[in-house]
Amino acid sequence: MADGTRSYATSQKLYEEACRIIPGGVNSALRNVVPHLIFKEARGAILVDADGNEYIDYQAAFGPPILGHNHPGIIRRVAAALDSPLLPGMGTTELEIAVAKKIVQHVPSAEKVLLCSTGGEATYHAIRVSRAVTGRPKIIKFQGCYHGFHDYVLCNIASPADKVGKLDPASAGILPEALGKTLVCTFNDLEDVERTLDANRGEIAAIILEPIAHNIGCVLPKPGFLEGLRQLATAHGCVLIFDEVITGFRHHLGGYQAICGVMPDLTTMGKAIANGFPMAALAGKAEIMDRFKTRTGGDTFFAGTFNGNAVGCAAALATMEILEREPVHEHTRRLGERLRTGLGEIHQRLGIRATVAGFGSIFLTYFMEGPIESYSDLLRNDEARFVEYRRKLIERGILKVPVNLKRNHVSYAHTDAHIDSTLGICEEVLKEMFATSARSSTFSRGTG
Ligand SMILES: Cc1ncc(COP(=O)(O)O)c(C=O)c1O
Protein backbone atom coordinates (compact mmCIF):
# COMPACT_ATOMS: atom_id res chain seq x y z
CA MET A 1 0.00 0.00 0.00
CA ALA A 2 3.01 2.32 0.03
CA ASP A 3 2.74 5.42 -2.17
CA GLY A 4 6.48 5.63 -2.62
CA THR A 5 7.08 7.99 0.27
CA ARG A 6 5.53 6.14 3.16
CA SER A 7 6.83 2.99 4.75
CA TYR A 8 4.58 0.62 6.69
CA ALA A 9 7.23 -1.91 7.69
CA THR A 10 6.87 -1.47 11.46
CA SER A 11 3.07 -1.63 11.33
CA GLN A 12 3.31 -4.77 9.26
CA LYS A 13 5.77 -6.42 11.64
CA LEU A 14 3.70 -5.55 14.74
CA TYR A 15 0.50 -6.62 13.04
CA GLU A 16 1.98 -10.04 12.30
CA GLU A 17 2.99 -10.28 15.96
CA ALA A 18 -0.56 -9.30 17.00
CA CYS A 19 -2.07 -11.94 14.73
CA ARG A 20 -0.12 -14.68 16.43
CA ILE A 21 -1.87 -14.02 19.75
CA ILE A 22 -5.01 -12.00 18.98
CA PRO A 23 -7.48 -13.53 16.50
CA GLY A 24 -7.17 -11.33 13.40
CA GLY A 25 -4.82 -9.03 15.31
CA VAL A 26 -7.63 -6.69 16.45
CA ASN A 27 -9.99 -6.48 19.40
CA SER A 28 -13.21 -5.47 17.62
CA ALA A 29 -14.58 -6.95 14.40
CA LEU A 30 -14.69 -3.86 12.19
CA ARG A 31 -11.08 -2.96 13.02
CA ASN A 32 -9.76 -5.79 10.90
CA VAL A 33 -9.27 -3.74 7.76
CA VAL A 34 -6.64 -3.32 5.07
CA PRO A 35 -4.29 -1.52 5.57
CA HIS A 36 -3.45 -2.94 8.98
CA LEU A 37 -2.03 0.01 10.85
CA ILE A 38 -0.57 0.07 14.33
CA PHE A 39 -0.97 3.45 16.00
CA LYS A 40 1.47 4.87 18.50
CA GLU A 41 0.44 8.49 18.93
CA ALA A 42 -2.77 10.51 19.00
CA ARG A 43 -3.24 14.24 19.44
CA GLY A 44 -6.20 16.35 18.45
CA ALA A 45 -7.20 15.52 14.88
CA ILE A 46 -3.98 13.62 14.18
CA LEU A 47 -3.07 9.96 14.52
CA VAL A 48 0.47 8.72 13.95
CA ASP A 49 1.27 5.13 13.04
CA ALA A 50 4.21 3.01 14.18
CA ASP A 51 6.27 4.07 11.15
CA GLY A 52 5.75 7.75 11.92
CA ASN A 53 3.15 8.36 9.17
CA GLU A 54 0.66 11.07 10.13
CA TYR A 55 -3.05 11.00 9.38
CA ILE A 56 -5.82 13.57 9.64
CA ASP A 57 -8.27 11.33 11.45
CA TYR A 58 -11.95 11.15 10.53
CA GLN A 59 -12.46 7.57 11.67
CA ALA A 60 -12.41 8.88 15.25
CA ALA A 61 -12.77 5.39 16.71
CA PHE A 62 -16.36 5.33 15.33
CA GLY A 63 -17.23 8.52 17.17
CA PRO A 64 -16.05 9.12 20.73
CA PRO A 65 -13.37 11.86 20.46
CA ILE A 66 -15.71 14.75 19.65
CA LEU A 67 -13.13 17.14 21.15
CA GLY A 68 -10.19 15.44 19.46
CA HIS A 69 -7.87 12.69 20.63
CA ASN A 70 -6.26 12.92 24.07
CA HIS A 71 -7.82 16.30 24.82
CA PRO A 72 -5.59 17.87 27.51
CA GLY A 73 -8.56 19.18 29.52
CA ILE A 74 -10.12 15.74 29.71
CA ILE A 75 -6.82 14.02 30.47
CA ARG A 76 -6.17 16.46 33.34
CA ARG A 77 -9.60 15.78 34.86
CA VAL A 78 -9.14 12.04 34.55
CA ALA A 79 -5.68 12.31 36.12
CA ALA A 80 -7.14 14.29 39.03
CA ALA A 81 -9.85 11.66 39.50
CA LEU A 82 -7.20 8.98 39.92
CA ASP A 83 -6.78 10.28 43.46
CA SER A 84 -10.48 9.80 44.21
CA PRO A 85 -12.16 6.46 45.01
CA LEU A 86 -11.88 4.77 41.61
CA LEU A 87 -14.40 2.04 42.22
CA PRO A 88 -15.73 1.62 45.75
CA GLY A 89 -18.17 -1.08 44.66
CA MET A 90 -20.87 -0.05 47.12
CA GLY A 91 -22.81 3.12 47.51
CA THR A 92 -22.18 6.02 45.14
CA THR A 93 -19.48 8.61 44.45
CA GLU A 94 -20.04 12.33 44.06
CA LEU A 95 -18.76 12.04 40.49
CA GLU A 96 -21.56 9.61 39.62
CA ILE A 97 -24.14 12.02 40.97
CA ALA A 98 -22.60 14.91 39.05
CA VAL A 99 -22.67 12.96 35.75
CA ALA A 100 -26.28 11.88 36.24
CA LYS A 101 -27.29 15.47 37.07
CA LYS A 102 -25.68 16.77 33.88
CA ILE A 103 -27.46 14.19 31.76
CA VAL A 104 -30.83 15.02 33.32
CA GLN A 105 -30.08 18.71 32.87
CA HIS A 106 -29.37 18.41 29.15
CA VAL A 107 -31.19 15.41 27.69
CA PRO A 108 -34.82 16.54 27.47
CA SER A 109 -36.49 13.16 28.08
CA ALA A 110 -34.10 12.05 30.85
CA GLU A 111 -35.76 12.03 34.26
CA LYS A 112 -33.53 9.36 35.78
CA VAL A 113 -30.20 7.89 34.70
CA LEU A 114 -28.13 4.74 35.18
CA LEU A 115 -24.49 4.57 34.17
CA CYS A 116 -22.73 1.66 32.52
CA SER A 117 -19.61 1.29 30.40
CA THR A 118 -20.68 0.53 26.83
CA GLY A 119 -23.48 1.38 24.46
CA GLY A 120 -24.36 -2.28 24.07
CA GLU A 121 -25.01 -2.62 27.78
CA ALA A 122 -27.28 0.42 27.65
CA THR A 123 -29.39 -0.97 24.78
CA TYR A 124 -29.54 -4.41 26.43
CA HIS A 125 -30.92 -2.92 29.63
CA ALA A 126 -33.29 -0.63 27.74
CA ILE A 127 -34.83 -3.62 26.00
CA ARG A 128 -34.99 -5.75 29.13
CA VAL A 129 -36.76 -3.07 31.14
CA SER A 130 -39.15 -2.45 28.23
CA ARG A 131 -40.12 -6.12 28.41
CA ALA A 132 -40.50 -5.80 32.16
CA VAL A 133 -42.81 -2.79 32.08
CA THR A 134 -44.96 -4.00 29.18
CA GLY A 135 -44.93 -7.72 29.94
CA ARG A 136 -44.44 -8.28 26.20
CA PRO A 137 -41.75 -10.28 24.41
CA LYS A 138 -41.09 -8.70 21.00
CA ILE A 139 -39.21 -5.64 19.81
CA ILE A 140 -39.00 -3.72 16.55
CA LYS A 141 -35.67 -2.59 15.14
CA PHE A 142 -34.80 -1.13 11.76
CA GLN A 143 -32.76 -2.48 8.87
CA GLY A 144 -29.39 -0.69 8.91
CA CYS A 145 -29.39 0.28 12.59
CA TYR A 146 -26.85 -1.23 14.99
CA HIS A 147 -27.39 -1.36 18.73
CA GLY A 148 -24.51 -3.49 20.04
CA PHE A 149 -23.34 -7.08 19.91
CA HIS A 150 -25.98 -8.79 22.06
CA ASP A 151 -28.50 -11.38 20.88
CA TYR A 152 -31.57 -9.12 21.11
CA VAL A 153 -30.46 -6.81 18.32
CA LEU A 154 -27.56 -8.25 16.34
CA CYS A 155 -29.25 -8.59 12.99
CA ASN A 156 -30.05 -6.72 9.77
CA ILE A 157 -27.34 -4.09 9.79
CA ALA A 158 -25.44 -3.96 6.45
CA SER A 159 -27.30 -6.99 5.09
CA PRO A 160 -26.64 -8.41 1.63
CA ALA A 161 -29.46 -7.64 -0.83
CA ASP A 162 -30.95 -11.14 -0.64
CA LYS A 163 -31.29 -10.89 3.16
CA VAL A 164 -33.15 -7.57 3.26
CA GLY A 165 -36.74 -8.24 4.28
CA LYS A 166 -35.76 -11.41 6.16
CA LEU A 167 -34.22 -11.94 9.57
CA ASP A 168 -30.46 -11.64 9.00
CA PRO A 169 -28.46 -12.63 12.11
CA ALA A 170 -25.05 -10.92 12.07
CA SER A 171 -23.23 -13.64 14.01
CA ALA A 172 -23.02 -17.33 14.55
CA GLY A 173 -24.00 -18.51 18.01
CA ILE A 174 -27.00 -16.23 18.51
CA LEU A 175 -29.84 -17.86 20.42
CA PRO A 176 -32.59 -18.10 17.76
CA GLU A 177 -35.28 -17.80 20.45
CA ALA A 178 -33.85 -14.39 21.47
CA LEU A 179 -33.46 -12.98 17.99
CA GLY A 180 -36.73 -14.58 16.95
CA LYS A 181 -38.53 -11.95 19.01
CA THR A 182 -36.88 -9.16 17.02
CA LEU A 183 -38.90 -7.82 14.12
CA VAL A 184 -37.18 -5.72 11.47
CA CYS A 185 -38.84 -2.74 9.81
CA THR A 186 -37.73 -0.33 7.11
CA PHE A 187 -36.30 3.00 8.30
CA ASN A 188 -38.50 5.94 7.29
CA ASP A 189 -41.45 3.65 6.51
CA LEU A 190 -44.20 4.35 9.04
CA GLU A 191 -46.68 2.12 7.25
CA ASP A 192 -44.34 -0.82 7.66
CA VAL A 193 -44.12 -0.12 11.38
CA GLU A 194 -47.88 0.25 11.67
CA ARG A 195 -48.45 -3.02 9.80
CA THR A 196 -45.95 -4.80 12.04
CA LEU A 197 -47.54 -3.39 15.20
CA ASP A 198 -51.01 -4.40 14.00
CA ALA A 199 -49.90 -7.89 13.10
CA ASN A 200 -48.30 -8.31 16.55
CA ARG A 201 -50.89 -6.46 18.62
CA GLY A 202 -50.14 -6.59 22.35
CA GLU A 203 -46.79 -8.33 21.78
CA ILE A 204 -44.35 -5.48 21.05
CA ALA A 205 -42.46 -4.22 24.10
CA ALA A 206 -40.32 -1.60 22.38
CA ILE A 207 -39.37 0.15 19.20
CA ILE A 208 -35.63 0.85 19.14
CA LEU A 209 -33.84 2.98 16.57
CA GLU A 210 -30.99 5.33 15.90
CA PRO A 211 -32.85 8.60 15.28
CA ILE A 212 -30.35 9.17 12.46
CA ALA A 213 -29.24 5.88 10.91
CA HIS A 214 -25.51 6.51 11.32
CA ASN A 215 -24.37 2.92 11.24
CA ILE A 216 -24.97 2.97 7.50
CA GLY A 217 -23.43 6.41 7.09
CA CYS A 218 -26.10 9.03 7.42
CA VAL A 219 -29.74 8.31 6.63
CA LEU A 220 -31.80 11.13 8.09
CA PRO A 221 -35.32 10.59 9.37
CA LYS A 222 -37.86 11.98 6.92
CA PRO A 223 -40.04 14.78 8.32
CA GLY A 224 -42.78 13.15 10.40
CA PHE A 225 -41.06 9.75 10.77
CA LEU A 226 -39.92 10.17 14.38
CA GLU A 227 -43.16 11.97 15.29
CA GLY A 228 -45.10 9.09 13.71
CA LEU A 229 -43.12 6.51 15.66
CA ARG A 230 -43.86 8.43 18.85
CA GLN A 231 -47.58 8.34 18.11
CA LEU A 232 -47.55 4.67 17.16
CA ALA A 233 -45.55 3.67 20.24
CA THR A 234 -47.98 5.54 22.47
CA ALA A 235 -51.05 4.17 20.69
CA HIS A 236 -49.77 0.58 20.96
CA GLY A 237 -48.48 0.94 24.52
CA CYS A 238 -44.85 0.17 23.67
CA VAL A 239 -41.66 1.85 24.80
CA LEU A 240 -39.91 4.11 22.31
CA ILE A 241 -36.13 3.83 22.66
CA PHE A 242 -33.84 6.33 20.94
CA ASP A 243 -30.40 4.82 20.68
CA GLU A 244 -28.37 8.02 20.84
CA VAL A 245 -25.03 6.26 21.30
CA ILE A 246 -23.78 8.09 18.19
CA THR A 247 -26.06 11.13 17.99
CA GLY A 248 -25.93 11.97 21.70
CA PHE A 249 -23.37 14.66 22.57
CA ARG A 250 -22.02 14.57 19.00
CA HIS A 251 -24.90 16.50 17.48
CA HIS A 252 -26.12 18.28 20.61
CA LEU A 253 -25.58 18.07 24.37
CA GLY A 254 -29.20 16.98 24.62
CA GLY A 255 -28.93 14.44 21.82
CA TYR A 256 -30.85 14.43 18.55
CA GLN A 257 -34.08 14.59 20.56
CA ALA A 258 -33.12 18.15 21.55
CA ILE A 259 -32.89 18.99 17.84
CA CYS A 260 -35.96 17.16 16.50
CA GLY A 261 -38.21 17.75 19.51
CA VAL A 262 -39.51 14.17 19.62
CA MET A 263 -39.27 12.60 23.07
CA PRO A 264 -38.50 8.90 23.48
CA ASP A 265 -39.36 6.99 26.66
CA LEU A 266 -35.79 5.73 27.02
CA THR A 267 -32.47 6.97 25.63
CA THR A 268 -29.18 5.13 25.35
CA MET A 269 -25.93 7.11 25.23
CA GLY A 270 -22.23 6.35 24.94
CA LYS A 271 -19.33 7.18 22.62
CA ALA A 272 -18.90 10.99 22.60
CA ILE A 273 -20.16 11.35 26.18
CA ALA A 274 -16.63 10.86 27.55
CA ASN A 275 -14.42 11.76 24.56
CA GLY A 276 -12.80 8.34 24.30
CA PHE A 277 -13.06 6.95 27.82
CA PRO A 278 -15.43 4.03 28.45
CA MET A 279 -18.75 5.42 29.62
CA ALA A 280 -22.37 4.91 28.65
CA ALA A 281 -25.77 5.66 30.10
CA LEU A 282 -29.41 4.73 29.98
CA ALA A 283 -31.90 7.45 30.82
CA GLY A 284 -35.60 8.02 30.59
CA LYS A 285 -38.93 8.26 32.30
CA ALA A 286 -38.75 7.82 36.06
CA GLU A 287 -41.62 5.32 36.05
CA ILE A 288 -39.60 3.03 33.76
CA MET A 289 -36.16 3.65 35.27
CA ASP A 290 -37.55 2.96 38.75
CA ARG A 291 -38.25 -0.62 37.70
CA PHE A 292 -34.53 -1.37 37.93
CA LYS A 293 -33.34 -3.38 40.89
CA THR A 294 -30.83 -0.68 41.80
CA ARG A 295 -33.86 0.60 43.74
CA THR A 296 -35.37 -1.33 46.61
CA GLY A 297 -38.50 -2.92 45.21
CA GLY A 298 -37.29 -2.79 41.62
CA ASP A 299 -37.59 -6.05 39.70
CA THR A 300 -35.34 -5.62 36.66
CA PHE A 301 -31.73 -6.53 37.23
CA PHE A 302 -29.06 -3.95 36.42
CA ALA A 303 -25.42 -4.30 37.39
CA GLY A 304 -21.84 -3.90 36.23
CA THR A 305 -18.60 -4.05 38.19
CA PHE A 306 -17.22 -0.97 36.44
CA ASN A 307 -20.45 1.05 36.34
CA GLY A 308 -19.87 4.59 37.56
CA ASN A 309 -16.09 4.23 37.84
CA ALA A 310 -14.25 7.47 38.49
CA VAL A 311 -12.26 7.51 35.24
CA GLY A 312 -15.33 7.29 32.99
CA CYS A 313 -17.28 9.71 35.18
CA ALA A 314 -14.51 12.31 35.31
CA ALA A 315 -14.10 12.10 31.54
CA ALA A 316 -17.86 12.41 30.96
CA LEU A 317 -18.21 15.34 33.30
CA ALA A 318 -15.24 17.15 31.78
CA THR A 319 -16.52 16.47 28.24
CA MET A 320 -20.02 17.73 29.02
CA GLU A 321 -18.61 20.86 30.69
CA ILE A 322 -16.56 21.67 27.60
CA LEU A 323 -19.60 21.05 25.39
CA GLU A 324 -21.51 23.48 27.62
CA ARG A 325 -19.04 26.33 27.50
CA GLU A 326 -17.23 26.08 24.16
CA PRO A 327 -18.65 26.36 20.64
CA VAL A 328 -17.89 22.71 19.85
CA HIS A 329 -21.03 21.97 17.87
CA GLU A 330 -20.90 25.27 16.01
CA HIS A 331 -17.27 24.55 15.00
CA THR A 332 -17.77 20.91 14.00
CA ARG A 333 -20.99 21.73 12.14
CA ARG A 334 -19.26 24.50 10.18
CA LEU A 335 -16.34 22.27 9.23
CA GLY A 336 -18.71 19.42 8.42
CA GLU A 337 -20.64 21.77 6.14
CA ARG A 338 -17.40 22.90 4.48
CA LEU A 339 -16.50 19.28 3.76
CA ARG A 340 -19.95 18.39 2.45
CA THR A 341 -20.13 21.45 0.20
CA GLY A 342 -16.52 21.11 -0.95
CA LEU A 343 -16.88 17.42 -1.76
CA GLY A 344 -20.13 18.05 -3.64
CA GLU A 345 -18.34 20.68 -5.75
CA ILE A 346 -15.46 18.30 -6.47
CA HIS A 347 -17.84 15.57 -7.59
CA GLN A 348 -19.60 18.02 -9.85
CA ARG A 349 -16.35 19.36 -11.30
CA LEU A 350 -15.13 15.85 -12.03
CA GLY A 351 -18.49 14.59 -13.24
CA ILE A 352 -18.58 11.82 -10.67
CA ARG A 353 -21.83 10.13 -9.78
CA ALA A 354 -21.75 10.39 -6.01
CA THR A 355 -23.86 11.61 -3.10
CA VAL A 356 -22.44 13.48 -0.14
CA ALA A 357 -24.41 12.73 3.00
CA GLY A 358 -24.06 13.91 6.55
CA PHE A 359 -25.33 15.97 9.42
CA GLY A 360 -23.40 18.30 11.73
CA SER A 361 -19.93 16.83 12.21
CA ILE A 362 -20.66 13.69 10.17
CA PHE A 363 -20.00 13.33 6.46
CA LEU A 364 -19.39 10.72 3.83
CA THR A 365 -19.48 10.10 0.10
CA TYR A 366 -21.63 7.32 -1.30
CA PHE A 367 -20.79 6.32 -4.86
CA MET A 368 -24.36 6.36 -6.07
CA GLU A 369 -27.14 8.78 -6.79
CA GLY A 370 -29.90 9.61 -4.32
CA PRO A 371 -32.48 9.67 -2.98
CA ILE A 372 -31.41 7.82 0.14
CA GLU A 373 -34.23 7.08 2.55
CA SER A 374 -33.49 3.58 3.78
CA TYR A 375 -30.89 0.84 3.72
CA SER A 376 -32.32 -0.64 0.51
CA ASP A 377 -31.35 2.54 -1.36
CA LEU A 378 -27.75 2.05 -0.21
CA LEU A 379 -27.54 -1.29 -1.97
CA ARG A 380 -26.87 0.88 -5.06
CA ASN A 381 -23.65 2.20 -3.49
CA ASP A 382 -20.53 1.03 -5.33
CA GLU A 383 -18.84 -0.77 -2.44
CA ALA A 384 -15.61 -1.50 -4.31
CA ARG A 385 -15.20 2.22 -5.13
CA PHE A 386 -16.11 3.24 -1.60
CA VAL A 387 -13.39 1.05 -0.09
CA GLU A 388 -10.80 1.81 -2.81
CA TYR A 389 -11.30 5.55 -2.31
CA ARG A 390 -10.64 5.28 1.40
CA ARG A 391 -7.58 3.05 0.96
CA LYS A 392 -6.11 5.61 -1.42
CA LEU A 393 -6.89 8.43 1.01
CA ILE A 394 -5.10 6.54 3.78
CA GLU A 395 -2.01 6.31 1.56
CA ARG A 396 -2.09 10.11 1.43
CA GLY A 397 -2.68 10.67 5.12
CA ILE A 398 -6.48 10.98 5.37
CA LEU A 399 -7.93 8.39 7.72
CA LYS A 400 -11.44 7.14 7.00
CA VAL A 401 -12.17 3.53 7.82
CA PRO A 402 -12.19 1.48 4.59
CA VAL A 403 -15.44 -0.32 5.37
CA ASN A 404 -18.55 0.07 3.23
CA LEU A 405 -21.05 2.74 4.34
CA LYS A 406 -19.12 3.86 7.40
CA ARG A 407 -19.34 7.52 8.37
CA ASN A 408 -16.56 10.06 8.98
CA HIS A 409 -16.36 12.38 11.97
CA VAL A 410 -15.08 15.93 12.39
CA SER A 411 -13.87 16.87 15.85
CA TYR A 412 -13.33 20.17 17.67
CA ALA A 413 -9.61 19.70 17.04
CA HIS A 414 -9.99 19.79 13.25
CA THR A 415 -9.12 23.14 11.72
CA ASP A 416 -9.88 24.91 8.45
CA ALA A 417 -6.36 23.97 7.35
CA HIS A 418 -7.21 20.28 7.88
CA ILE A 419 -10.34 20.70 5.80
CA ASP A 420 -8.47 22.51 2.99
CA SER A 421 -5.87 19.79 2.92
CA THR A 422 -8.50 17.03 3.04
CA LEU A 423 -10.48 18.51 0.16
CA GLY A 424 -7.32 18.87 -1.92
CA ILE A 425 -6.32 15.26 -1.34
CA CYS A 426 -9.85 13.97 -1.97
CA GLU A 427 -9.87 15.75 -5.32
CA GLU A 428 -6.48 14.31 -6.30
CA VAL A 429 -7.55 10.79 -5.37
CA LEU A 430 -10.90 11.03 -7.16
CA LYS A 431 -9.21 12.40 -10.28
CA GLU A 432 -6.82 9.49 -10.25
CA MET A 433 -9.52 6.89 -9.60
CA PHE A 434 -11.91 8.18 -12.21
CA ALA A 435 -9.24 8.80 -14.83
CA THR A 436 -8.32 5.14 -14.46
CA SER A 437 -11.92 4.01 -14.54
CA ALA A 438 -12.72 6.16 -17.58
CA ARG A 439 -9.85 4.41 -19.37
CA SER A 440 -11.06 0.98 -18.32
CA SER A 441 -14.77 2.00 -18.62
CA THR A 442 -15.72 0.31 -15.38
CA PHE A 443 -17.85 3.20 -14.16
CA SER A 444 -19.95 5.51 -16.23
CA ARG A 445 -19.79 9.21 -15.54
CA GLY A 446 -22.83 11.12 -14.52
CA THR A 447 -23.61 14.58 -13.33
CA GLY A 448 -22.61 15.30 -9.71
C1 LIG B 1 -26.02 3.34 17.69
C2 LIG B 1 -25.17 2.41 18.48
N1 LIG B 1 -25.70 1.80 19.56
C3 LIG B 1 -24.98 0.96 20.32
C4 LIG B 1 -23.67 0.69 20.02
C5 LIG B 1 -22.87 -0.22 20.89
O1 LIG B 1 -21.98 0.53 21.64
P1 LIG B 1 -20.68 -0.16 22.26
O2 LIG B 1 -19.79 -0.52 21.10
O3 LIG B 1 -20.11 0.92 23.14
O4 LIG B 1 -21.15 -1.34 23.02
C6 LIG B 1 -23.07 1.31 18.93
C7 LIG B 1 -21.68 1.04 18.59
O5 LIG B 1 -21.19 1.34 17.52
C8 LIG B 1 -23.85 2.18 18.12
O6 LIG B 1 -23.34 2.77 17.04
Side-chain angles (χ1 to χ4, degrees), residues 145 208 222 273 316 400 408:
C145 289
I208 183 167
K222 285 201 296 197
I273 190 174
K400 301 176 177 182
N408 308 302

Side-chain angles (χ1 to χ4, degrees), residues 259-371:
I259 297 172
C260 70
V262 178
M263 293 307 127
D265 302 301
L266 291 175
T267 304
T268 52
M269 291 158 266
K271 294 197 192 274
I273 190 174
N275 205 57
F277 287 88
M279 167 58 75
L282 168 62
K285 285 189 174 154
E287 65 188 273
I288 302 178
M289 296 297 293
D290 277 337
R291 285 294 289 260
F292 281 113
K293 234 175 174 168
T294 47
R295 194 182 67 81
T296 308
D299 63 358
T300 307
F301 194 72
F302 183 96
T305 300
F306 298 110
N307 290 2
N309 71 83
V311 167
C313 283
L317 200 56
T319 303
M320 288 190 275
E321 285 173 8
I322 291 177
L323 293 178
E324 281 173 343
R325 66 171 188 261
E326 296 192 32
V328 176
H329 293 110
E330 193 185 314
H331 178 83
T332 54
R333 197 181 312 122
R334 185 178 67 75
L335 296 192
E337 202 51 56
R338 274 204 62 201
L339 280 164
R340 288 188 288 274
T341 308
L343 288 168
E345 286 166 3
I346 291 169
H347 301 154
Q348 193 134 34
R349 250 197 318 278
L350 301 182
I352 292 170
R353 200 191 301 157
T355 300
V356 183
F359 183 83
S361 59
I362 293 211
F363 71 100
L364 82 160
T365 298
Y366 297 114
F367 289 96
M368 58 176 281
E369 283 168 320

Side-chain angles (χ1 to χ4, degrees), residues 228-251:
L229 287 182
R230 177 64 278 174
Q231 280 166 13
L232 285 173
T234 305
H236 285 260
C238 41
V239 177
L240 181 62
I241 306 168
F242 276 6
D243 181 353
E244 297 234 37
V245 165
I246 296 175
T247 51
F249 307 96
R250 173 158 289 280
H251 292 323

Side-chain angles (χ1 to χ4, degrees), residues 118-121 123 146-149 210 215 243 245-246 271 407:
T118 66
E121 289 169 76
T123 60
Y146 174 71
H147 304 291
F149 63 79
E210 298 176 65
N215 271 287
D243 181 353
V245 165
I246 296 175
K271 294 197 192 274
R407 64 199 175 274

Side-chain angles (χ1 to χ4, degrees), residues 360-433:
S361 59
I362 293 211
F363 71 100
L364 82 160
T365 298
Y366 297 114
F367 289 96
M368 58 176 281
E369 283 168 320
I372 299 169
E373 294 182 352
S374 73
Y375 176 75
S376 297
D377 296 322
L378 294 173
L379 293 168
R380 299 197 307 274
N381 179 49
D382 185 334
E383 177 174 354
R385 280 268 176 248
F386 190 97
V387 173
E388 179 197 5
Y389 178 44
R390 291 181 175 208
R391 289 207 180 123
K392 286 181 181 297
L393 287 175
I394 291 173
E395 287 171 19
R396 288 167 171 80
I398 305 293
L399 199 72
K400 301 176 177 182
V401 70
V403 175
N404 194 31
L405 305 183
K406 287 299 165 195
R407 64 199 175 274
N408 308 302
H409 314 76
V410 176
S411 79
Y412 194 40
H414 285 84
T415 62
D416 280 291
H418 291 134
I419 305 305
D420 291 338
S421 158
T422 301
L423 287 171
I425 292 169
C426 287
E427 180 151 15
E428 271 172 34
V429 167
L430 288 168
K431 262 188 197 153
E432 185 187 300
M433 279 172 59

